[in-house]
Amino acid sequence: MIEIKDLHKSYKIGKNLLHVLKGININIEEGELVAIMGSSGSGKSTLLNILGMLDVADKGSYMLDNFPIKDLDETKAAKYRNKFLGFIFQSFNLINYKTALENVALPLYYQKVGRAERTEKAMQYLAKVGLEDWSSHLPSELSGGQKQRIAIARALAAQPKVLLADEPTGALDSTTSYEVMQLIQDINDEGKTILVVTHEDDIAQMCKRIVLLKDGVIIDDKKVNQVRASDHV
Amino acid sequence: MLILSRDTWQEIFGSIQKNKARTIITVIGVLWGIFIYIVLSGAAKGLDNGFEERFENIAMNSMFAWAQTTSVPYAGFKTGRPIQLKLGDVRTLVSRVPEIEFIAPRIVKGAFGGESGGVIYGQRTGYYSIYGDFPVLSKIAAQKIYIGGRFVNEGDIKEHRKVCVIGERTRKELFAKDTDPIGEFIRIDNVFFKVIGVKKFEDGGGFGDDGDITIPFSTYRKLYNTGDDVGWLAIAAYDDADVMKVEQDVKKVLKKIHQISPEDDRAIGSFNLGEIFTKISGFAKGLTFLSLVVGIATILAGVIGIGNILLISVKERTKELGVRRALGATPSEVRGQIILESVFLTMIAGVFGIILGSFALKGISIASEGADIPYTNPTVPIPFVLGALFTMVILGTLIGLIPAQRAVSIKPIDALREE
Ligand SMILES: Nc1ncnc2c1ncn2[C@@H]1O[C@H](COP(=O)(O)OP(=O)(O)O)[C@@H](O)[C@H]1O
Ligand SMILES: [Mg+2]
């Protein structure tokens, strides 16, 4: 599903060049649930952002579902993001003046899906995350765990090929974190490819594969025996 | 397609409703501008209409000339010689000043300080100014006669008929309410005159009032023994003529006839409505122009305010716009949304400004009713209103471009960065 070859990325800070990613090579198959681990500042978010076409690499190739991702302008990137990718953020990033339903429907709006179909689909995904009764609530009326579920429903709504989650449980207590991981596992069980950036070991253990970043390179990449989140709840 | 979509509008309403206070403050700026524009230009139009209505009975290119006393010795005459206009002057003027379309010699008893005519009907009496006029006067100053009556005609002149047209007040004072004055006989300075019409009084002639009585010029000269004397001349020039020049020419000819020095500025008095009217309509035009300038300046300030506030709002919404773009909003969609917000706010402000302005105009209209102010039908022409709205859409778009460009100049990755 994802093929990355010799990916480099550096940031300019003043006159200095901060080399964050120093040649990343990774293949991720369809249906995988991959944890990207590493200490703070190791480049996890940078890698995820490049995969998410929010940022561009300086060097290297990126294939998504056998489709080369290159020469992106903003418009093209926006369309690819909309079509191929679903984002889950640490701070949820729901739009605060929109109801849960409207938030979930937003990617479909940008896909130019008609209103009725959009609402129907959004309701479907709200039901999938168990929040169909909260459809007309504003984010401010929801708990952190509920917000992240809404965000997951939103990421799923456009039926992307890959879900990218940057520290999805970073703002949640451990019980809520496990509930969210359980949902992510369920979605993965249905075959969706998911990448989860985390620095928490217990969260990583709930994935099927752990990739460890350090100093801009992958120093470890191993399959693990998935811990089911439901065992913790 | 973007503009027509209900979803687009829902997005706009959503983000506008998000900060009601901001929206209201923003809208008030532009609303104030268009309000001022509408009220001022409507009021200017009202004044313009008012003046026009006052003068509608009088040909705009008309003038009056009368004789006074000389102020310069000339041709063997001493200064201070009184001048008397004569009927014969009329023919000379018509032949020498080809721009004259109509000329009406007039004469009056009363009006300018002399003794008024004593008028009697039955037990009632009154004193009124008595005018001797020719029918041609109605070509220069419209004579509105109430239905059933008529003005002096050629036959009256030729046969020296003892007929008269009375004013509204005269009618009220001499006749009982239910009496039809037409056909009745009144005594003017002890001579019986048949009433042939009641004149509707219209202000704007400069002099004259609602009690005036008009009799045929020929009857007048016999009644008061005035010979060929003419009180003053009412003259209308052709539409394309320059009344100012006609006025000068008329005076020149009259001076020649009456052997007055060309340098004598006092002997012949004159007054021309064209000049006055030009001044008045110039005032109204000035007011319209002023309202345009003030209105546009305030609207501009308001629209810039909208741009400013949208700029702040775009900064506040950096994260939201980043999220939208991560979810698939293209730069042009983001740009379009912000421009539409700008246009929408401007339009809302414009429409409310126009509505409030119209109410204010209505209020002024009601308040000025009855008062002696030339103020009629203060409307702003629809093309002006549409023009203002159109200008606002354009301005809204232009000003919206700035925050819109700002919104898309931030990369989504930067917008989304967790601090
Ligand atoms: N836009 C940027 N400009 C400059 N430096 C950046 C930028 N984004 C990230 N960095 C730096 O790159 C390094 C990796 O950051 P990041 O990928 O966010 O790490 P992680 O998510 O693993 O904590 C950090 O040192 C960070 O300060
Ligand atoms: Mg990070």
Side-chain angles (χ1 to χ4, degrees):
Chain A
M1 181 61 77
I2 290 175
E3 271 175 68
I4 293 271
K5 280 205 187 85
D6 197 28
L7 199 77
H8 286 260
K9 177 73 185 176
S10 36
Y11 290 113
K12 249 196 208 104
I13 301 175
K15 279 180 186 159
N16 299 324
L17 216 58
L18 181 67
H19 206 164
V20 180
L21 299 179
K22 304 170 181 167
I24 304 284
N25 293 289
I26 190 173
N27 281 337
I28 295 167
E29 300 301 323
E30 186 168 1
E32 281 200 81
L33 174 54
V34 183
I36 298 171
M37 290 199 72
S39 55
S40 180
S42 58
K44 306 182 294 290
S45 294
T46 304
L47 177 60
L48 205 72
N49 287 336
I50 292 170
L51 293 178
M53 299 177 221
L54 292 166
D55 209 347
V56 259
D58 301 332
K59 198 180 152 213
S61 72
Y62 171 19
M63 298 275 279
L64 179 63
D65 199 21
N66 296 320
F67 186 84
I69 304 299
K70 56 180 186 187
D71 303 329
L72 287 181
D73 60 26
E74 264 307 322
T75 306
K76 228 174 176 180
K79 291 198 169 135
Y80 287 174
R81 283 196 291 267
N82 183 256
K83 213 166 140 196
F84 299 134
L85 302 167
F87 292 91
I88 300 162
F89 305 94
Q90 179 175 356
S91 54
F92 326 126
N93 283 343
L94 298 177
I95 291 176
N96 57 16
Y97 59 88
K98 285 184 176 289
T99 63
L101 185 74
E102 287 166 342
N103 265 288
V104 175
L106 200 57
L108 297 167
Y109 167 68
Y110 288 118
Q111 263 182 9
K112 316 271 191 289
V113 173
R115 164 171 302 273
E117 191 187 341
R118 212 160 68 210
T119 307
E120 193 195 311
K121 272 196 177 169
M123 266 323 271
Q124 216 174 297
Y125 283 101
L126 272 180
K128 195 176 185 73
V129 300
L131 290 173
E132 65 266 55
D133 294 340
W134 297 80
S135 64
S136 60
H137 286 252
L138 291 173
S140 56
E141 298 159 350
L142 302 172
S143 72
Q146 286 173 321
K147 283 185 206 173
Q148 197 59 298
R149 283 161 180 274
I150 301 287
I152 292 169
R154 180 177 68 182
L156 287 172
Q159 290 174 292
K161 294 192 184 304
V162 177
L163 282 192
L164 301 173
D166 195 348
E167 315 240 13
T169 60
L172 305 174
D173 64 43
S174 54
T175 317
T176 319
S177 295
Y178 295 152
E179 282 167 9
V180 166
M181 279 314 290
Q182 189 182 350
L183 181 59
I184 288 176
Q185 285 179 340
D186 290 346
I187 294 161
N188 175 249
D189 289 345
E190 289 169 20
K192 189 74 75 192
T193 315
I194 306 176
L195 272 71
V196 179
V197 162
T198 183
H199 58 262
E200 293 163 274
D201 201 47
D202 52 346
I203 298 297
Q205 294 302 327
M206 293 177 181
C207 298
K208 293 175 177 166
R209 175 179 169 189
I210 299 177
V211 172
L212 191 59
L213 276 183
K214 198 181 178 208
D215 294 331
V217 288
I218 295 175
I219 54 163
D220 193 18
D221 184 349
K222 60 171 192 265
K223 302 246 186 224
V224 291
N225 272 331
Q226 188 182 37
V227 177
R228 294 304 292 191
S230 50
D231 298 344
H232 286 267
V233 178
Chain B
M1 168 231 127
L2 180 71
I3 292 173
L4 296 177
S5 138
R6 177 171 150 207
D7 294 328
T8 310
W9 288 107
Q10 205 144 45
E11 286 299 316
I12 289 169
F13 286 137
S15 65
I16 286 172
Q17 274 172 359
K18 184 181 127 186
N19 196 334
K20 289 196 182 72
R22 181 199 90 198
T23 306
I24 289 167
I25 290 169
T26 313
V27 159
I28 283 174
V30 172
L31 191 149
W32 182 237
I34 187 106
F35 175 82
I36 285 181
Y37 168 71
I38 292 289
V39 170
L40 273 183
S41 59
K45 186 70 187 159
L47 279 181
D48 203 26
N49 287 347
F51 283 125
E52 213 156 277
E53 192 183 65
R54 276 209 182 177
F55 287 98
E56 75 179 346
N57 299 306
I58 296 243
M60 285 319 155
N61 51 346
S62 63
M63 57 157 292
F64 305 93
W66 60 93
Q68 302 172 138
T69 53
T70 59
S71 61
V72 178
Y74 187 68
F77 293 109
K78 276 195 286 187
T79 179
R81 174 172 57 105
I83 303 295
Q84 178 61 58
L85 298 183
K86 296 284 180 186
L87 268 178
D89 299 353
V90 172
R91 191 174 300 167
T92 318
L93 280 171
V94 169
S95 65
R96 301 267 179 87
V97 187
E99 290 95 336
I100 293 176
E101 185 177 17
F102 301 112
I103 178 163
R106 303 190 68 187
I107 190 161
V108 70
K109 180 170 186 266
F112 299 123
E115 198 187 311
S116 299
V119 180
I120 303 172
Y121 175 75
Q123 301 300 312
R124 307 198 195 189
T125 62
Y127 288 88
Y128 305 101
S129 302
I130 311 295
Y131 287 76
D133 273 316
F134 283 95
V136 67
L137 178 67
S138 61
K139 306 274 198 207
I140 300 163
Q143 304 291 316
K144 289 195 177 162
I145 308 293
Y146 280 103
I147 293 173
R150 64 170 178 87
F151 192 59
V152 168
N153 65 23
E154 293 298 340
D156 300 333
I157 299 286
K158 227 174 259 165
E159 294 171 18
H160 315 288
R161 283 183 197 141
K162 295 190 186 93
V163 292
C164 66
V165 174
I166 61 174
E168 284 173 283
R169 180 161 58 84
T170 321
R171 186 218 174 283
K172 220 181 285 164
E173 286 171 0
L174 291 180
F175 294 92
K177 228 183 189 155
D178 48 359
T179 313
D180 180 8
I182 309 294
E184 294 297 309
F185 284 87
I186 60 173
R187 260 193 293 164
I188 302 173
D189 289 329
N190 284 320
V191 176
F192 279 98
F193 278 79
K194 187 173 155 188
V195 177
I196 54 169
V198 179
K199 187 182 154 184
K200 184 170 164 40
F201 177 67
E202 298 267 357
D203 194 9
F207 48 85
D209 69 33
D210 52 354
D212 295 341
I213 294 177
T214 308
I215 62 176
F217 193 94
S218 55
T219 317
Y220 185 103
R221 45 192 285 208
K222 259 175 76 181
L223 179 64
Y224 295 111
N225 219 355
T226 49
D228 280 344
D229 289 358
V230 168
W232 73 99
L233 296 165
I235 296 170
Y238 283 104
D239 284 342
D240 53 354
D242 173 8
V243 215
M244 245 84 96
K245 186 186 165 284
V246 174
E247 187 183 7
Q248 292 313 312
D249 291 350
V250 164
K251 286 169 96 169
K252 225 183 271 168
V253 172
L254 287 174
K255 283 177 186 171
K256 207 159 202 175
I257 298 170
H258 296 279
Q259 291 184 289
I260 302 162
S261 160
E263 271 78 58
D264 195 334
D265 288 333
R266 188 134 39 96
I268 303 292
S270 71
F271 167 85
N272 104 54
L273 272 172
E275 190 176 11
I276 305 260
F277 189 73
T278 308
K279 271 185 194 155
I280 288 168
S281 65
F283 172 71
K285 273 198 195 86
L287 204 58
T288 308
F289 180 71
L290 181 76
S291 65
L292 206 65
V293 171
V294 171
I296 285 178
T298 18
I299 289 171
L300 211 61
V303 171
I304 289 172
I306 287 190
N308 233 330
I309 292 204
L310 278 176
L311 210 54
I312 295 169
S313 129
V314 159
K315 271 186 203 162
E316 277 172 3
R317 287 162 62 194
T318 302
K319 187 88 172 251
E320 177 203 323
L321 295 172
V323 173
R324 285 174 179 273
R325 289 173 69 184
L327 296 182
T330 61
S332 54
E333 278 168 328
V334 172
R335 218 182 277 128
Q337 187 187 334
I338 288 161
I339 290 173
L340 277 180
E341 274 176 39
S342 170
V343 170
F344 179 74
L345 287 176
T346 324
M347 286 296 284
I348 284 285
V351 168
F352 274 104
I354 288 168
I355 291 171
L356 288 181
S358 308
F359 275 122
L361 281 179
K362 189 84 195 151
I364 296 171
S365 233
I366 289 166
S368 71
E369 226 159 70
D372 188 26
I373 305 168
Y375 190 76
T376 311
N377 197 15
T379 47
V380 184
I382 296 291
F384 276 45
V385 174
L386 293 182
L389 281 179
F390 182 72
T391 310
M392 293 177 72
V393 173
I394 301 279
L395 287 177
T397 309
L398 290 179
I399 209 74
L401 280 173
I402 300 169
Q405 198 47 47
R406 165 69 65 94
V408 295
S409 70
I410 304 167
K411 285 199 288 179
I413 170 97
D414 296 321
L416 283 170
R417 196 178 309 285
E418 319 266 354
E419 298 306 334

